[in-house]
Structures are given as structure tokens and as C-alpha cells.
Amino acid sequence: FTGWKEDAACSWNPLAGLVEQNFCEPDWNVMIQTTLQNETGEEHFVEPGWRGPHGCVKKYCLYSNPGFSNGKGMVAITTEAHLSTLKDLPSQPQYLDVLSLSHVDDVPGKGLGVIADRELKRGDAVMPRPPAFLAHRRFLEDLASSQEQQDLLEKAVTYLPRETKGLFLGQMAHFGGHLINDIFITNGFQVDLGGPDGHHYGNYPEVSRFNHDCRPNLAYYIDSNFVHRTTAVRKIVPGEELTVAYLDPLQPRIARQQRAHSAWGFVCECQQCSLPGALVDKSDGRLWRIRVLEKRMENLKADVTMGDVRELLELYRNERLDAKLAGVLTLAAMNANLLGRADDAREYALRAVEAGLIEKGDGVDVKSMRALAENPKAHFTWRGRLKASK
Ligand SMILES: C[S@@+](CC[C@H](N)C(=O)[O-])C[C@H]1O[C@@H](n2cnc3c(N)ncnc32)[C@H](O)[C@@H]1O
């Protein structure tokens, strides 16, 4: 893109002090223009900003922002009220300058997948991406298969910049029927734009290439700007496939396999699902024990010991649930504190912060664990179980 030259503006500024505007922090929404190519390959400039409606079905209208995210572009089929949320998003976010860490390749039995090019360690950000297409859930579900819905979906794709359109249409569509609807169902993420009817399907074409594993090496969440963030949860070597969990990894194998089949049309043969029979039974037994212990530790009146807390964490470790540690570490921290074990509580809370940043981002859960780690004795859980048992 072309735009404000930071150095030229910031090195010496004769107006500094005379006007309130800080020239080192230009209004990127206004100043940056984005280079896009039209269908014939000619370059032209597009300023970020939402346009439309380009068409509506009932209260759901099509809007486009071709300059969004350095010309990757975004389209949305949503209500007018939700458009105002999208207008508040930073149009040139900072996440696109991460180095390329992976490439897409054939993975036997799974179609395409994402392969690591570099060694990654726990906590490394892998692929932060904004959505290319947001569609209101009610528009997709209630109007399913209607001609007017299909026409608006097809129109929406024509408003994506060329490269993003190619990525969007290149995604796997598994269930048949209308192609764009199918792409959404096969590859959609839940995105909440807020308010009582904020549920949308979000499509992130590059993220869509991650295949499923019940014990994935990446965790993901969608942040408050609707950016999909994937982070490594353990050491990954070059050549290893990068995977996420599409479903609840705490379910027993049969339930996981049924869900993968009914919702995404494949039989899961990940390492955990392919264990020999006796080991599957052991794994399912551990998952059941996790359920029992968690139920007990969530009940303030139940009899809980530090042995239970350690056993629970050990079960997670043996089950290789590295992408799902934030919740259990929070439970461990609170229970240690409920039992008046400040040092253990602090240690688990710090680990819960680390896992929370990977799995959920810097939100209320992380803040609450930071507070517990800082001062266990000031936390509302301090010695709670001991008081209750007196
Ligand atoms: C979101 S896409 C993942 C990328 C896809 N493989 C592609 O070629 O674009 C989801 C689809 O990938 C396939 N898939 C994902 N994980 C799989 C797995 N563990 N085993 C077999 N197929 C898988 C299924 O067909 C599923 O419907």
C-alpha cells in the first residue's frame, strides 16, 4: 500500500506543538490507501471503509470493505446495527507482519492441510487472521436454500478482492448443495458481534486449511476484533502438520468420532482415535475420571483434597490435552486457594494466565487469575473449603 511515510512525518515536524494532532499517529483509516488489482490485473487504489448496502434480503444486507486489512478485504451480510460494530474495527491491524511459518500441502486422507516450516514452541503465534466474510446466522440458517439467499451470497463473493475471492472459493465444501452455503458450513467459526442477535458465521479462508486432531498442536480463539488467533501449544518440528480441535476433546472416542462424522463428514483417525483398543479404554477411563474430579472440584460443599487437584492435572498431562489447560488450571488454582494452599494456588494461577492467553486471550478469566496469583489471601476463595468444613 501507499500511505503516510512515518519517518518523513515524525523525524521533524514544524507544526508540533501548534496543532493538537499528533503527526506520528496518523488516522490510518483516512490516510492509508490500499493497492488492489482489478480483474484485468490493473492496479487501482481503494481506501478502507465500508460500502453498501449492495443488496438486501429482509433485514440482512450486503456490505463490503475492499480496502480492509491491507487489501485483503472483507464482506458482511448483516443487519445495519451490526455494521456499526464492524465500522469500529481497526482497518489496518498489526497482525499481518508475522513471518510465514507454514505452507499448505496434501495430507493423505484429509485433503489439504497446513505444514510447519519452522520449529515452533509453546506460545508462538501462528496465523492471526481477520475474517474475509461474516454472515448473520439467521440469514444463513432461516433462509437456507432460498433463491434470494443464494443470490446474495454469490453477489457477496464478487465484492471480495481477487486474491481473497480465490482463497474463499478454494475452500473445501463437504456437504453439497449451494457452494457458498456449503463453504460456510464446512469452514465456519462462530463469531459474536454482540447484542441479543449477534451470532454470525465467520469465514477465515486461510485458517480453514487446518485439519482436525483430537490432541491438536494449536489452540485458537477469536478476539474482540474478530481476529482468529492460533498459537502453538507444544513444540512443533518442521514438516509436522499444524492442527486444531474442531470438537470437544474431553468427549470419549466414540462421541468424538460421531461428531466429526456428523458435523464435518470424516472419520477421525487421529493418533488418539487410532490407539489400540486397550489404550482407547484407558484414555476413555481417564476422560471419565476427569469429569468426576471436575464435578467434585466445582462443588463448594464437596470433599476435595490437594491429591485430587494433582491427580486432575496429571490426567490432563497423560491425555496430552495441551490445548485445553486454561480451565483446569483455573480450577486447580481456585481449589488450592480454597484449601488454604497459597503457594500452590499462586503457581497454578500463573500457569492459568499463561494458558489463558493462548486459549482465550487477555480477557476476564486471565485478569482474575492474575489477581489470584498476586494475592491469594485477598481472593474470595481463600480457605473457603476450610471455613465451610468448620
Ligand atoms: C476446514 S476443512 C480443513 C481443510 C481441508 N482438508 C481442505 O482440504 O481444505 C475441513 C474438512 O477437512 C477434512 N478433514 C479435517 N480434518 C480431518 C481429519 N482429521 N481426518 C480426515 N479429514 C479431515 C474433512 O473433509 C473436513 O470436512
Side-chain angles (χ1 to χ4, degrees), residues 109-113 170-172 174-175 186-187 207-213 246 263-270:
K110 302 183 190 172
L112 296 173
Q171 292 172 92
M172 185 179 261
H174 201 92
F175 296 93
T186 309
N187 305 280
V207 172
S208 296
R209 293 295 186 211
F210 289 122
N211 286 313
H212 163 80
D213 196 294
Y246 294 3
W264 292 277
F266 68 93
V267 177
C268 188
E269 290 175 349
C270 75

Side-chain angles (χ1 to χ4, degrees), residues 198-260:
H199 294 297
H200 286 66
Y201 281 79
N203 187 274
Y204 303 79
E206 290 150 289
V207 172
S208 296
R209 293 295 186 211
F210 289 122
N211 286 313
H212 163 80
D213 196 294
C214 294
R215 301 292 177 260
N217 49 24
L218 305 180
Y220 76 84
Y221 67 94
I222 293 173
D223 76 11
S224 56
N225 285 331
F226 317 124
V227 174
H228 187 292
R229 297 189 176 272
T230 33
T231 307
V233 295
R234 56 175 172 259
K235 182 180 162 189
I236 297 169
V237 295
E240 200 177 327
E241 186 184 3
L242 297 172
T243 55
V244 296
Y246 294 3
L247 45 82
D248 180 1
L250 292 170
Q251 294 288 313
R253 181 179 74 166
I254 181 79
R256 298 196 308 267
Q257 287 189 320
Q258 276 169 359
R259 174 90 179 125

Side-chain angles (χ1 to χ4, degrees), residues 146-161:
S146 68
Q147 190 59 49
E148 44 182 6
Q149 184 223 44
Q150 296 177 0
D151 290 347
L152 199 61
L153 283 171
E154 281 164 30
K155 193 170 189 184
V157 175
T158 69
Y159 279 87
L160 286 170

